[in-house]
Amino acid sequence: MDKPLCIVAGVGPGNGLAFCKKFLDEGYRVAILARNLERMNEYSRASDDVYPFSCDLSDSNNIKNSFSEIVTSLGVPSVVIYNAGSALFGTPMDVSPEDFEGAWKLNVLGLLTVSKIVAPLMKNNGGGSILVTGATASLRGGAIFAAFSSAKAAQRNLAQSLARSLGSEDIHVALVIIDGVIDIPITREFFPNKPDTFFLQSNAIAETYYNLSQQHSSAWTFEIDLRTSCEEW
Amino acid sequence: MDKPLCIVAGVGPGNGLAFCKKFLDEGYRVAILARNLERMNEYSRASDDVYPFSCDLSDSNNIKNSFSEIVTSLGVPSVVIYNAGSALFGTPMDVSPEDFEGAWKLNVLGLLTVSKIVAPLMKNNGGGSILVTGATASLRGGAIFAAFSSAKAAQRNLAQSLARSLGSEDIHVALVIIDGVIDIPITREFFPNKPDTFFLQSNAIAETYYNLSQQHSSAWTFEIDLRTSCEEW
Amino acid sequence: MDKPLCIVAGVGPGNGLAFCKKFLDEGYRVAILARNLERMNEYSRASDDVYPFSCDLSDSNNIKNSFSEIVTSLGVPSVVIYNAGSALFGTPMDVSPEDFEGAWKLNVLGLLTVSKIVAPLMKNNGGGSILVTGATASLRGGAIFAAFSSAKAAQRNLAQSLARSLGSEDIHVALVIIDGVIDIPITREFFPNKPDTFFLQSNAIAETYYNLSQQHSSAWTFEIDLRTSCEEW
Amino acid sequence: MDKPLCIVAGVGPGNGLAFCKKFLDEGYRVAILARNLERMNEYSRASDDVYPFSCDLSDSNNIKNSFSEIVTSLGVPSVVIYNAGSALFGTPMDVSPEDFEGAWKLNVLGLLTVSKIVAPLMKNNGGGSILVTGATASLRGGAIFAAFSSAKAAQRNLAQSLARSLGSEDIHVALVIIDGVIDIPITREFFPNKPDTFFLQSNAIAETYYNLSQQHSSAWTFEIDLRTSCEEW
């Protein structure tokens, strides 16, 4: 029998890669999606069970094509991690309508498009998990996060609609609120004077995603927050 | 000196009309915007201080043109009420991407577009109020409100970003969470067996909007909920 | 016919006094309760419609006696403002069990005791309002607000229980989340370098309390926040 | 070297017992506390690593004595689960002041008392976890849960104060919001017509508690909800 399939939609050097490694370690095949195919090829050389796909998650047609290809070649996923999204700074007066719409397409419309594809397949397969990467901005509209926080709030309520409508079909939708800065080269450059304890470690975050995907249907989580022990919150 | 100007963006037979009447009673000129110019003309016959403008609030260019016309002819508003939005039913699996995007454009992008136009004018004028009509769906992603609740959550976080970034410029942004069903002919038809106490009265809602617009800057509200005394919540 | 009666339970130099003045201005008789009878006597000299009562709101028997006296001499209140509570600093490790319990008795048990007395009387009288003074700490357990924030959260959920169980009897229960520092001599001393815009003005706060007490039962508020236009939140 | 110690404060036939089993399976010694020593003795016969202690968690002196005994005989705990609390029905008008205070002592003062004892010991030991059992009532004051929901809200804010003040000392405080009814004989009797999927399974809940206790300090959770896949929420 095939190993179960995990799809990580949105793979950068931080969480996405850590999710890939963790699910590999737990015996999954892992399809990874990002715009940058080259970087993903580097990751996929590490294991025969990693399958990279180029995909712009802010483009619905691109999503449809990539997921069609994945399902045809690898089958129905047991776990989908929707990990798209990058912080975008600016007040409502500063943000351009294009960036504002782009953040919404990437964080919200992309999640809807992916869910419309995978939920019916998961249902026929007896269930599955859709795990969504949120942020503090999912809960709070900061002055300088006009685009990001508006999109993340829309994503959160969509994830709730998904969880409430798909739960009885054994599809578990959960939202992880990441509160803080993840330890990757670019954030270390941005915060050069912060101690190690300032940064969330992607490997630790990946443990929680994996545990969520394994929860028994009699005790599912919808929302969980993650921050370092030293975070001011 | 001219009477102060209130713009009600989104006028139907319920709240929009009640807002118009209340601000008229309090000595404002009122510009009302909706797609249906005919119905608004009917309202505007009641007073020389009501100015109807045809506008589709889900269309940014349309908003820009209408507001340009309003400001040119009537001046800078003291109060803008962003009252767009109509509930749309359907789970994430049922909603079409077009309706999902339409709800976002009407509730969120429209608010951003309006704010980008009026906030700089209000700032130059010494301040103003932007009041936004939210709903229970602003806080909760119900199973069958995929489009509406996702859009309303995005609108709420955008309103927070606006409030936080514009407060020190004396622009007061507030969100009213309307929890329940407003008493208009169409809702009476939809809920024929409900008692009168089931329905929120628009005139009562309008009192709260007016009070918000008059709050002193040392004690501003961002969020306030409204429901009937008999609501189950 | 008698003027309607407002009871302000918890009167200091800031909000309590402002509530007293506002309801006086609007034609109410006002009973004011505090431990410090002397200071209240000073307030009450200003008007024949102010009635001071000495009461320790952390003592249930004291509350029962005072309210019995008020009802006997002045009748059933239309409005009760539960304005008890003073911030107490300290982490959970620092706070004494006695102070922790004292904060709970003052903020929570006192509200229950008052409500058990006035709600049945209001019901027989055709309704009334119970307005509760909350704080940011009602929503958030800060590190150094162990006693205050735990008590305020308990008060908030009790206020919700009250609102939900008494609404259909025309008793309106509302919670005002005051987010910031009120302008009174002691806070000016504590924050000597803050600008005027840092401080909430009690007179402005009192406007909102009065407006809440006048809401029509078809559009009642449960929760409303208040902060200055310049607050970082 | 000794096995690590987990203390489960509040053990009934549902969660408490499941926590005990799970931590036993993972190689912990487990001290269990409840008023009913007899029932606990039955549990403890199953393993030499289970240590029962009689304790009324609504009585601070009783807590101090029991924890003193535990620490003396078994050492400093790595994990403490504060699992006290039983739902109590009644509106604010119905609940007696004694029951209202009892719920607060059990859910809130007991947690403070336990934390004041174990946090300094954990700190000296290099850290530890305090896991608190919350409920939907932690977030919402239902009409007929006056005592329970007020106490649970107070407990939640206290847990936040604990988490915020102890995090930098490597003490992880987390709150688990259990949303629903746990499968034990008494709840099956109370809901005789509900399907199996209506009930949360304690064994599944225990998995999440264990995972929380193992989180790396770079990605700690404060709050997590648990409900069945079929729950209406």
Side-chain angles (χ1 to χ4, degrees), chain A residues 38-201:
Chain A
E38 205 171 318
R39 191 163 58 188
M40 285 194 299
N41 281 331
E42 186 186 327
Y43 301 160
S44 63
R45 268 181 229 114
S47 163
D48 288 349
D49 284 326
V50 177
Y51 302 85
F53 294 83
S54 175
C55 184
D56 177 352
L57 294 164
S58 63
D59 179 327
S60 292
N61 286 325
N62 210 171
I63 291 174
K64 286 175 194 164
N65 292 334
S66 298
F67 272 77
S68 169
E69 207 183 327
I70 294 172
V71 171
T72 305
S73 59
L74 300 173
V76 175
S78 303
V79 179
V80 171
I81 300 179
Y82 195 76
N83 189 48
S86 60
L88 192 72
F89 295 91
T91 68
M93 294 303 112
D94 295 335
V95 70
S96 75
E98 292 71 30
D99 283 351
F100 191 76
E101 185 156 3
W104 177 78
K105 285 192 169 166
L106 180 61
N107 285 286
V108 195
L109 188 60
L111 174 60
L112 180 70
T113 307
V114 166
S115 300
K116 279 175 169 291
I117 296 166
V118 300
L121 300 171
M122 285 179 167
K123 182 183 172 182
N124 285 339
N125 240 22
S129 299
I130 300 173
L131 309 179
V132 181
T133 298
T136 309
S138 306
L139 304 172
R140 181 182 187 279
I144 62 162
F145 293 102
F148 185 62
S149 69
S150 179
K152 281 297 183 192
Q155 182 189 63
R156 179 178 184 246
N157 268 22
L158 173 58
Q160 286 188 7
S161 291
L162 287 164
R164 288 186 166 106
S165 58
L166 298 173
S168 59
E169 298 175 355
D170 266 322
I171 299 170
H172 178 195
V173 181
L175 180 71
V176 183
I177 302 285
I178 297 181
D179 181 15
V181 178
I182 292 160
D183 191 0
I184 50 176
I186 200 175
T187 57
R188 285 280 184 169
E189 264 179 56
F190 200 80
F191 297 102
N193 299 318
K194 294 285 184 185
D196 289 356
T197 53
F198 174 76
F199 299 93
L200 289 115
Q201 300 300 324

Side-chain angles (χ1 to χ4, degrees), chain B residues 218, chain C residues 181 183 188 193-201 228 230:
Chain B
S218 76
Chain C
V181 177
D183 192 359
R188 285 282 182 167
N193 299 317
K194 294 286 183 184
D196 289 356
T197 54
F198 175 75
F199 298 93
L200 289 115
Q201 299 300 324
T228 78
C230 297

Side-chain angles (χ1 to χ4, degrees), chain B residues 140 232-233, chain D residues 140 232-233:
Chain B
R140 179 181 188 279
E232 300 275 336
W233 55 289
Chain D
R140 180 181 189 279
E232 301 276 337
W233 54 290

Side-chain angles (χ1 to χ4, degrees), chain B residues 14-15 17-19 21-22 200-208, chain C residues 218:
Chain B
N15 286 350
L17 182 55
F19 299 155
K21 285 181 180 166
K22 174 65 184 172
L200 288 115
Q201 299 300 324
S202 291
N203 291 345
I205 294 171
E207 293 292 323
T208 286
Chain C
S218 76

Side-chain angles (χ1 to χ4, degrees), chain A residues 140 232-233, chain C residues 140 232-233:
Chain A
R140 181 182 187 279
E232 300 275 337
W233 54 290
Chain C
R140 180 182 188 278
E232 301 275 337
W233 53 290

Side-chain angles (χ1 to χ4, degrees), chain B residues 15 20 40 71 104-105 140 152 156 164 173 175:
Chain B
N15 286 350
C20 179
M40 286 194 298
V71 171
W104 177 79
K105 286 192 168 164
R140 179 181 188 279
K152 281 297 182 192
R156 179 178 183 244
R164 288 187 166 103
V173 181
L175 179 70

Side-chain angles (χ1 to χ4, degrees), chain B residues 10 18 47 53 61 85 97 122 132 138 179-180 182 194 204 228:
Chain B
S47 163
F53 293 84
N61 286 324
M122 285 178 168
V132 182
S138 306
D179 181 15
I182 292 161
K194 294 285 184 185
T228 76

